[in-house]
Amino acid sequence: MTYLRAIGRAFALAAFALLSWVDVLIQLLTFALLCVGLVFFFGPTLLWARGRSARMRVLAGRWCGVEIEAPYRPEPPEPVRERDGWYRDGNQLYKRAFWISWQHRLTWAMEDPATSREFGWQLVNPLCTLLLPVAVLLGGPVVLRGYGRWTRWWVGPRPPAEPARKNWLHRHLEALGHQLGLFAVSVVQLVFASFQLVVMIFFMPLATPVVLANRTITDTLRREIGNWTGVQIARPYLPPPGLPVPRADGLYQVGRQLYEEPFWPVQHARTRWVYRDRATWRDLLGSLLVPLVSFVMILPTMALVSRGLLGLGALWIWRPFVSPRIDWSPFPAVSTHLGALAQTPVMLAMVFAGLAAAPWLARQQARFARVWFGPTEATRLAQRVERLKQTRSDVTVTQAAELRRIERDLHDGIQSRLVAMGMKLGAVEALVDTDPAAAKRLAAELRTASSEALTELRVLIRGIHPPVLSERGLLDAVRALAMDSPLKSEVTGSLPGRVEEPVEACVYFAVSELLGNAAKHGAKRVSIEVEFADGLLTVVVTDEGPGGANPARGSGLRGIERRLGAFDGRLTLTSPIGGPTKATLEIPCQLDLEPSSPRTSTSSETA
């Protein structure tokens, strides 16, 4: 009876698994729609396919006796409305939470490693289950349990794996894939750029949304170039125009035209912004040149690799089984195993020569793309000026709040202690002749009060500018912070000199805030990297906490952003659900090179 039940369950699993091919077909169709701009279908399709996979895991656990848990990362939290009624996502504000929630769920589903494993399982599982009834007929229920273990290995939860070291062949095959990938993405960008050019020439009112949509495709190319080749390309676009300011009579003026509502002035300003931005036209020209250059750089690699692989196939597959003689130029004809063996090293050399050039050619593709899709000096200056305008008010508010805090601490703390000490001194003067013992007791209390006041004053001074910064510099001050933290900390990095004092204080307090956040949210370990290169101070703080950090939901991270904004700095936060959280502080500054001071390099770890 058990044997027949196992066979019946195998047939049922096979029938249910065939439906996975329907899921695969729908996912491929929605991905094709995603590539042409219809983005709203792919995310729901992925989540819908997860439902069938979950049902398959339940059946496999029930019928095969193997419990299979869900392998997915925790879902992203719902957006939180700010006090002004808007929802914030990065530097963008939204009136409703739908768009933010949809973006976060799509990113969550696509970046989850379980999604790709599940897609591969949906392709392979139906083929395996077609053979499952026969295998169960021959092997019995043991085969069914083996299928359950196989399913758990493929679509069950997996512990995070340590990154494996890649060998030479793996690295160069990957570089070849990067070449092909960059070429493919640049071709997609060329198609959309052609459509953009037509719209900009003949349908000017629609130009702005089309250009902004196509910039997301170019941003994808920039991001993948950085991920694949390490060549980072910054966004070159000018900042968007601000909202129009009405005149004294409440009307909005654009040239000689007056408007009662700000809608049309906004559209005119955005259209002028798009057309006058040189990066828009550089994107169009680059979309034509980058695919051509990429194709030229792919040709040597593909020609050598394909010629070598085809040659090996002809020598050892085609010749022995199909045609006993191979006539090809410029190599001599081959009709024997000895002749094939003689030409095999040549074919292998062609394959390895093509692969050896792939990483270098991929980097050249990326550098050429950076010429056209990266910012110019004029764009960098305009972006920096606009950012300084945006952060100027924040800096003023932050400085005023800091002054009020210092004033409050002095008034409520040190000043009160000094007043109390003055009153006790008066009492000592009155009692020193009549009651010397009481005067001595008051003098002892005054000594204790003065010590406490001095300690409080030192704490206040440390909050304004920590003495450790002046004495030991930024890197050692950060190391001292890490040693005082309850987390297991590691500090690495090097600085060839002293950073400007205001920048040192800014970075010091920012790192202190990040360490406090990590400890508050349950992290056990944190690493801090400090580097300076090309006039940019970079500090990377990574903790192994639960992730999900969002500047919109806390004043600490917003305070760090405002603090860095005073020096034209940036906070870049990467914090997926489940961790790790990586905060990158970048501040342009100058170093005071001190020949008498050795190059500082520290690496410390504290329990």
Side-chain angles (χ1 to χ4, degrees):
M1 189 65 179
T2 305
Y3 200 85
L4 293 177
R5 187 185 299 115
I7 296 176
R9 289 175 174 177
F11 275 106
L13 288 172
F16 192 81
L18 289 176
L19 297 176
S20 296
W21 279 343
V22 178
D23 299 337
V24 170
L25 179 61
I26 295 176
Q27 289 178 72
L28 292 176
L29 289 176
T30 54
F31 181 75
L33 294 176
L34 176 69
C35 293
V36 298
L38 301 177
V39 299
F40 292 99
F41 303 102
F42 187 61
T45 302
L46 289 179
L47 300 179
W48 173 73
R50 286 184 175 185
R52 197 185 308 280
S53 299
R55 182 61 179 167
M56 196 68 181
R57 286 194 299 270
V58 172
L59 293 178
R62 182 184 305 166
W63 292 345
C64 303
V66 178
E67 196 69 27
I68 306 176
E69 298 179 358
Y72 313 115
R73 291 176 175 174
E75 294 189 17
E78 290 297 323
V80 178
R81 188 193 297 269
E82 296 194 340
R83 294 179 179 178
D84 57 2
W86 290 80
Y87 294 91
R88 186 175 188 268
D89 184 34
N91 294 325
Q92 298 293 325
L93 294 177
Y94 298 89
K95 193 65 178 177
R96 294 178 177 83
F98 168 77
W99 181 247
I100 301 177
S101 179
W102 180 86
Q103 284 182 314
H104 288 184
R105 291 182 66 82
L106 177 62
T107 304
W108 161 67
M110 292 183 64
E111 293 183 352
D112 194 340
T115 301
S116 58
R117 289 194 284 116
E118 188 174 74
F119 183 79
W121 178 77
Q122 290 167 348
L123 283 174
V124 176
N125 184 54
L127 295 175
C128 296
T129 51
L130 288 177
L131 302 176
L132 186 61
V134 179
V136 173
L137 184 63
L138 297 176
V142 176
V143 176
L144 205 60
R145 286 194 294 272
Y147 170 77
R149 295 189 185 97
W150 176 79
T151 303
R152 181 174 61 186
W153 173 82
W154 199 311
V155 293
R158 292 185 182 181
E162 294 292 333
R165 297 190 63 180
K166 301 175 182 178
N167 55 35
W168 185 93
L169 183 61
H170 189 177
R171 293 196 308 271
H172 287 73
L173 283 174
E174 195 175 63
L176 176 58
H178 294 162
Q179 279 192 276
L180 296 173
L182 292 180
F183 174 69
V185 177
S186 63
V187 169
V188 172
Q189 188 208 15
L190 174 60
V191 174
F192 282 91
S194 303
F195 174 72
Q196 172 186 324
L197 183 60
V198 172
V199 171
M200 293 183 70
I201 294 176
F202 299 104
F203 305 97
M204 185 177 295
L206 302 177
T208 301
V210 171
V211 170
L212 295 181
N214 286 351
R215 283 182 177 181
T216 61
I217 301 174
T218 311
D219 289 338
T220 301
L221 179 60
R222 294 188 187 96
R223 182 178 65 252
E224 298 308 326
I225 285 175
N227 294 336
W228 292 343
T229 66
V231 178
Q232 303 298 327
I233 305 178
R235 298 185 87 241
Y237 310 114
L238 294 176
L243 295 177
V245 179
R247 305 192 320 171
D249 56 3
L251 298 178
Y252 298 88
Q253 182 174 1
V254 178
R256 297 182 179 180
Q257 186 69 35
L258 296 178
Y259 298 91
E260 295 182 355
E261 300 293 335
F263 175 79
W264 286 112
V266 168
Q267 300 308 312
H268 285 303
R270 289 170 64 83
T271 302
R272 288 195 303 270
W273 163 57
V274 166
Y275 275 84
R276 293 179 180 178
D277 192 348
R278 294 183 180 180
T280 301
W281 305 101
R282 288 167 60 85
D283 282 355
L284 291 175
L285 185 57
S287 65
L288 175 63
L289 297 178
V290 170
L292 294 177
V293 173
S294 297
F295 180 74
V296 170
M297 291 186 176
I298 289 173
L299 278 180
T301 303
M302 291 302 299
L304 289 171
V305 172
S306 60
R307 183 68 178 87
L309 293 177
L310 290 175
L312 291 173
L315 289 174
W316 298 107
I317 299 177
W318 181 267
R319 183 191 57 80
F321 300 103
V322 180
S323 176
R325 180 181 175 85
I326 300 177
D327 293 308
W328 52 10
S329 179
F331 303 105
V334 178
S335 58
T336 63
H337 289 310
L338 185 61
L341 189 62
Q343 293 192 16
T344 296
V346 179
M347 300 298 121
L348 290 175
M350 294 176 69
V351 172
F352 281 96
L355 291 178
W360 183 83
L361 290 173
R363 286 193 295 273
Q364 301 315 307
Q365 285 179 247
R367 292 190 178 105
F368 183 80
R370 183 170 60 184
V371 171
W372 293 100
F373 298 140
T376 61
E377 289 299 326
T379 304
R380 288 194 183 95
L381 180 60
Q383 290 175 336
R384 190 166 183 178
V385 169
E386 184 64 25
R387 178 169 174 78
L388 289 175
K389 288 181 181 178
Q390 294 174 354
T391 58
R392 182 171 52 189
S393 60
D394 288 341
V395 171
T396 303
V397 172
T398 302
Q399 289 179 342
E402 189 69 13
L403 289 175
R404 286 195 300 271
R405 181 188 69 82
I406 296 172
E407 179 186 6
R408 185 169 58 251
D409 291 344
L410 289 173
H411 181 273
D412 298 339
I414 303 299
Q415 178 176 320
S416 300
R417 289 185 179 276
L418 292 177
V419 170
M421 290 171 63
M423 295 175 65
K424 287 185 178 181
L425 282 174
V428 169
E429 290 177 352
L431 294 173
V432 68
D433 295 327
T434 60
D435 192 352
K440 288 182 179 180
R441 287 195 300 271
L442 287 177
E445 293 177 5
L446 279 172
R447 187 183 303 109
T448 303
S450 65
S451 178
E452 293 175 353
L454 182 60
T455 301
E456 187 173 345
L457 186 59
R458 285 172 177 170
V459 171
L460 179 60
I461 293 173
R462 190 178 297 114
I464 300 173
H465 188 82
V468 68
L469 282 176
S470 303
E471 297 169 1
R472 302 175 59 183
L474 176 62
L475 197 56
D476 286 336
V478 170
R479 185 183 180 188
L481 267 179
M483 295 178 67
D484 292 338
S485 172
L487 306 175
K488 191 171 185 179
S489 308
E490 182 180 4
V491 181
T492 58
S494 59
L495 290 176
R498 289 295 299 268
V499 184
E500 302 163 352
E501 287 191 3
V503 175
E504 282 186 338
C506 172
V507 174
Y508 178 86
F509 288 116
V511 172
S512 177
E513 178 70 25
L514 292 172
L515 290 176
N517 287 345
K520 181 173 63 177
H521 291 93
K524 302 298 183 184
R525 186 181 182 88
V526 65
S527 64
I528 306 173
E529 302 175 19
V530 183
E531 294 293 341
F532 180 85
D534 299 328
L536 187 68
L537 176 65
T538 304
V539 181
V540 181
V541 181
T542 307
D543 68 73
E544 299 176 356
N550 187 349
R553 298 200 303 269
S555 59
L557 294 175
R558 296 289 294 275
I560 293 176
E561 288 181 335
R562 289 192 294 267
R563 190 186 294 272
L564 296 177
F567 302 94
D568 196 22
R570 294 180 181 275
L571 169 65
T572 304
L573 188 67
T574 305
S575 183
I577 301 298
T581 297
K582 180 179 180 180
T584 303
L585 314 177
E586 296 178 325
I587 303 182
C589 61
Q590 298 295 325
L591 257 64
D592 181 15
L593 301 179
E594 299 175 350
S596 59
S597 300
R599 180 180 177 87
T600 306
S601 177
T602 66
S603 176
S604 65
E605 186 168 324
T606 63

